[in-house]
Amino acid sequence: MTAISLISRFDALLSDLDGVVYAGPHAIPGAVESLQQLAGVGVGLGYVTNNASRSPAEVAAHLRELGAPAEDEQVVSSSQAAADLLASRLAPGSKVLITGSPALAREIELVGLTPVFGQDEEPVAVVQGFNPGIGWKDLAEAAYVVSAGALWVATNTDMSIPQARGIAPGNGTLVAAVTAATGRTPLVAGKPEAPLFHSAAKRLGAERPLVVGDRLDTDILGGNNAGFATVAVLTGVDTLESILAARAAERPDYIISALSDLYRPYPEVTHDDGTYACGDATARVAHGAVGVIGSKDSLDAWRAACAAWWAATPDAPAAQAPKLAWLGH
């Protein structure tokens, strides 16, 4: 590794899981090897996940099965971030209604709070996380406590989760049911909110972490919300086209093809009189379109295009794809 590699600018990597480390049950080619290299260059590693139904130990065990370096404490879940958030606002020993999994209840215990499971136990807060066993009675119990004015924290608000048979309702849909019943909205600990990333950085003692993810709406937005540098990797959900079109809040600082690119120098993007250059490619915005001199297969050409379009639309509140004109060299 040279002093100018991308990862050398940071003291820790905060990594998403699905779409970055693995896709389904299998590791993404080259990802495990790239993660294994971090220790040798003195960069810390943490994993950040919105999954509140599995314990960090279970997630870490799965990562180790794939060959990735993963001690239990390197996995930071939205359950842990929710517990940290509650602990920062409640007196030790305070009762918290658990609307979620046993793993969530355990995290509440670990921060010195008391998990309870009914309104009759007089909880002062509610924590809501995904559990496929949740039913109407559980949601009703949460609604009773929330509507009475209790502090309400959701681990995450992902509206859907991919399952083998298709797309299923995620924790966000269950949170929305309680919102619909009570008219209240919870504090959110997981992506894309900042607490999950702050918890992970604090655990690693990181001052300059880099957040890597494949999704703009959770990983990149969350890292940006936390005030950390962000890098989008092209091994999962988002594409070069969707990254170019991203709204301002979801734009990454860096774009890489795979985790192995972390160990390469990141090309500087320069600009002169409205023309943005990266490597051998240049891009310029005119009449709402981006003209690119470079190959459509070149990542540098897309980096230049992003820089030009984002400079022209610095406050974009919604995704907007420009027309692209590929002019070649």
Side-chain angles (χ1 to χ4, degrees), residues 229-271:
T230 54
V231 55
V233 64
L234 301 172
T235 51
V237 171
D238 273 295
T239 64
L240 288 166
E241 289 81 3
S242 65
I243 293 169
L244 174 64
R247 66 186 181 99
E250 297 181 358
R251 292 170 176 172
D253 296 297
Y254 308 99
I255 307 166
I256 59 176
S257 295
L259 289 183
S260 57
D261 287 351
L262 292 171
Y263 300 95
R264 299 188 177 96
Y266 195 87
E268 183 182 5
V269 177
T270 60
H271 64 93

Side-chain angles (χ1 to χ4, degrees), residues 274-278 281-285 290-293 301 303-309:
T275 296
Y276 288 75
C278 184
T282 61
R284 187 178 182 90
V285 175
V290 181
V292 186
I293 299 177
R303 289 164 171 156
C306 286
W309 179 242

Side-chain angles (χ1 to χ4, degrees), residues 202-218:
K202 181 180 178 181
R203 183 172 302 189
L204 293 170
E207 296 180 357
R208 301 183 317 281
L210 176 64
V211 174
V212 60
D214 68 307
R215 291 185 65 126
L216 300 179
D217 61 348
T218 55

Side-chain angles (χ1 to χ4, degrees), residues 11 36 56 59 95 99 157 193 202 216-217 240 245 256 269 274 287 303 313 320:
D11 59 1
Q36 289 170 339
V59 174
K95 294 179 180 180
T99 308
T157 51
E193 304 306 323
K202 181 180 178 181
L216 300 179
D217 61 348
L240 288 166
I256 59 176
V269 177
H287 309 296
R303 289 164 171 156
T313 57
Q320 182 181 1

Side-chain angles (χ1 to χ4, degrees), residues 45-73:
L45 172 61
Y47 300 98
V48 286
T49 174
N50 263 359
N51 190 329
S53 62
R54 288 199 298 172
S55 71
E58 290 171 324
V59 174
H62 178 219
L63 287 166
R64 290 193 294 270
E65 287 172 5
L66 297 176
E71 299 298 326
D72 293 359
E73 60 270 17

Side-chain angles (χ1 to χ4, degrees), residues 39-126:
V41 296
V43 174
L45 172 61
Y47 300 98
V48 286
T49 174
N50 263 359
N51 190 329
S53 62
R54 288 199 298 172
S55 71
E58 290 171 324
V59 174
H62 178 219
L63 287 166
R64 290 193 294 270
E65 287 172 5
L66 297 176
E71 299 298 326
D72 293 359
E73 60 270 17
Q74 286 178 275
V75 177
V76 184
S77 70
S78 59
S79 291
Q80 291 174 313
D84 288 344
L85 184 56
L86 284 161
S88 72
R89 291 173 177 247
L90 299 174
S94 294
K95 294 179 180 180
V96 179
L97 179 73
I98 307 298
T99 308
S101 68
L104 177 57
R106 178 62 179 149
E107 296 302 335
I108 294 301
E109 284 185 329
L110 288 173
V111 295
L113 301 173
T114 304
V116 299
F117 299 90
Q119 182 192 31
D120 58 352
E121 296 180 84
E122 300 181 346
V124 296
V126 176

